[in-house]
Amino acid sequence: MEIKSVGVVGAGQMGNGIAHVMALAGFDVMLNDVSGDALEKARAIIEKNLDRQVSREKISAEERDTALARIRTTMELPDLGQTDLVIEAATEREEVKHKIFEGIVPHLKENTILTSNTSSISITRLASRTDRPEKFLGFHFMNPVPVMSLVELIRGIATDQETYEACLAVVEKLGKTAASAEDFPAFIVNRILVPMINEACYTLLEGVGNVRSIDQAMKLGANHPMGPLELADFIGLDTCLAIMNVLHEGLGDTKYRPCPLLSKYVEAGWLGRKTKRGFYDYRGDEPVPTR
């Protein structure tokens, strides 16, 4: 099937990025969130990011205007029912995702493909609670969506080939590259990346290095563009903890035990950039390490 319209559930950092790239690639987009304020903020962010692309001559002003015109917003989940592809991009909590799918399934067209942008949760399990496990796929974008060129496509045990190929065609139309992953906890990128962040947290907890020295060591010693603790703040410490919990519970290996220091930061509400404090304090002109 050819996909022409896309519904995006969740107008946060991932959702607005997905809406941005979909609209720019020519898809009609319906962006949904439970919060009207979140939808207004998302639209402003999309416009700002498109303006940046115009200023850098990545796109034309006409392309920006056309993309913005393709994006509609709604607080009503059933409004997404007539789209060809739905991408759920809500918080990384399985019960929330199940509730979203239960709310939208009765309103979907027969051939609508249902996907999740989850970074770690079982696609097979999410699909099993819907009426179309064969038309359910993991559609995992990297953050920030307009910049990163990779999309992980994750087939559940029931996902059919037609669904996979339709979503692969979408990724190609976006000008991005698809990596096919099997449905195991955290898939490919986060199976490797987040345990490295968790190990950096242990390195900090045990006093092997402080925040700045750990990040400098990995940037200059391993040529990483961002240090692991800086990256954790960018991703969100709550998201990192959620992924570690999925790995620990799903694989049953003690090497995936979440670092207690990571848990403490999350308990404190220090979730990184989005709360202005994490491993760094972002409330001043320059980020300052908190340990």
Side-chain angles (χ1 to χ4, degrees), residues 170-189:
V170 171
V171 175
E172 290 171 348
K173 191 172 178 181
L174 294 175
K176 296 186 184 294
T177 300
S180 297
E182 294 300 316
D183 187 21
F184 286 92
F187 320 129
I188 297 171
V189 174

Side-chain angles (χ1 to χ4, degrees), residues 188-209:
I188 297 171
V189 174
N190 285 325
R191 170 78 176 263
I192 297 167
L193 178 65
V194 180
M196 181 196 74
I197 289 171
N198 196 55
E199 194 62 27
C201 294
Y202 272 114
T203 306
L204 180 63
L205 175 66
E206 294 166 11
V208 179

Side-chain angles (χ1 to χ4, degrees), residues 177-289:
T177 300
S180 297
E182 294 300 316
D183 187 21
F184 286 92
F187 320 129
I188 297 171
V189 174
N190 285 325
R191 170 78 176 263
I192 297 167
L193 178 65
V194 180
M196 181 196 74
I197 289 171
N198 196 55
E199 194 62 27
C201 294
Y202 272 114
T203 306
L204 180 63
L205 175 66
E206 294 166 11
V208 179
N210 59 32
V211 169
R212 199 176 294 284
S213 65
I214 290 167
D215 278 350
Q216 283 181 337
M218 294 307 293
K219 282 194 283 189
L220 302 179
N223 205 27
H224 289 193
M226 296 173 73
L229 301 174
E230 182 185 6
L231 180 58
D233 278 356
F234 182 77
I235 293 170
L237 304 194
D238 52 338
T239 300
C240 292
L241 180 60
I243 294 169
M244 285 309 302
N245 281 327
V246 166
L247 282 166
H248 193 218
E249 293 162 12
L251 298 172
D253 193 320
T254 55
K255 74 178 180 179
Y256 297 116
R257 183 171 69 96
C259 178
L261 183 61
L262 178 60
S263 299
K264 284 295 179 189
Y265 269 73
V266 173
E267 287 170 3
W270 291 17
L271 308 181
R273 286 180 177 268
K274 60 188 173 185
T275 59
K276 303 294 184 183
R277 279 194 289 186
F279 290 113
Y280 292 86
D281 189 324
Y282 300 92
R283 293 175 297 175
D285 294 334
E286 293 289 333
V288 178

Side-chain angles (χ1 to χ4, degrees), residues 76-253:
E76 303 300 323
L77 196 56
D79 289 348
L80 276 62
Q82 294 305 302
T83 57
D84 301 323
L85 167 68
V86 173
I87 303 173
E88 171 274 315
T91 185
E92 193 69 354
R93 287 166 49 201
E94 189 166 345
E95 65 273 17
V96 172
K97 296 181 186 297
H98 284 309
K99 189 174 180 181
I100 288 167
F101 294 134
E102 286 167 9
I104 198 170
V105 159
H107 307 282
L108 295 178
K109 297 187 298 182
E110 184 181 348
N111 62 344
T112 296
I113 293 173
L114 201 52
T115 70
S116 176
N117 182 57
T118 179
S119 56
S120 61
I121 298 168
S122 167
I123 298 303
T124 299
R125 196 163 62 239
L126 289 174
S128 71
R129 297 274 290 271
T130 74
D131 67 341
R132 60 195 66 210
E134 73 286 348
K135 289 191 176 298
F136 196 106
L137 190 84
F139 209 134
H140 181 215
F141 288 84
M142 305 297 118
N143 185 33
V145 180
V147 175
M148 302 296 280
S149 59
L150 183 77
V151 180
E152 284 183 314
L153 294 181
I154 307 103
R155 277 180 276 206
I157 196 168
T159 308
D160 63 27
Q161 186 65 19
E162 183 184 15
T163 297
Y164 173 80
E165 288 177 359
C167 290
L168 179 61
V170 171
V171 175
E172 290 171 348
K173 191 172 178 181
L174 294 175
K176 296 186 184 294
T177 300
S180 297
E182 294 300 316
D183 187 21
F184 286 92
F187 320 129
I188 297 171
V189 174
N190 285 325
R191 170 78 176 263
I192 297 167
L193 178 65
V194 180
M196 181 196 74
I197 289 171
N198 196 55
E199 194 62 27
C201 294
Y202 272 114
T203 306
L204 180 63
L205 175 66
E206 294 166 11
V208 179
N210 59 32
V211 169
R212 199 176 294 284
S213 65
I214 290 167
D215 278 350
Q216 283 181 337
M218 294 307 293
K219 282 194 283 189
L220 302 179
N223 205 27
H224 289 193
M226 296 173 73
L229 301 174
E230 182 185 6
L231 180 58
D233 278 356
F234 182 77
I235 293 170
L237 304 194
D238 52 338
T239 300
C240 292
L241 180 60
I243 294 169
M244 285 309 302
N245 281 327
V246 166
L247 282 166
H248 193 218
E249 293 162 12
L251 298 172
D253 193 320

Side-chain angles (χ1 to χ4, degrees), residues 27-80:
F27 297 98
D28 293 323
V29 178
M30 180 71 77
L31 179 60
N32 163 266
D33 201 280
V34 294
S35 165
D37 289 344
L39 288 170
E40 285 184 24
K41 183 180 177 183
R43 193 164 187 91
I45 290 170
I46 292 168
E47 188 166 355
K48 178 183 174 184
N49 289 338
L50 285 167
D51 284 342
R52 184 182 294 117
Q53 287 180 299
V54 172
S55 68
R56 294 178 179 174
E57 299 183 347
K58 302 281 188 184
I59 62 172
S60 69
E62 184 181 357
E63 287 173 316
R64 173 198 61 200
D65 296 342
T66 303
L68 282 170
R70 289 192 183 109
I71 301 172
R72 291 182 293 159
T73 60
T74 180
M75 292 175 63
E76 303 300 323
L77 196 56
D79 289 348
L80 276 62

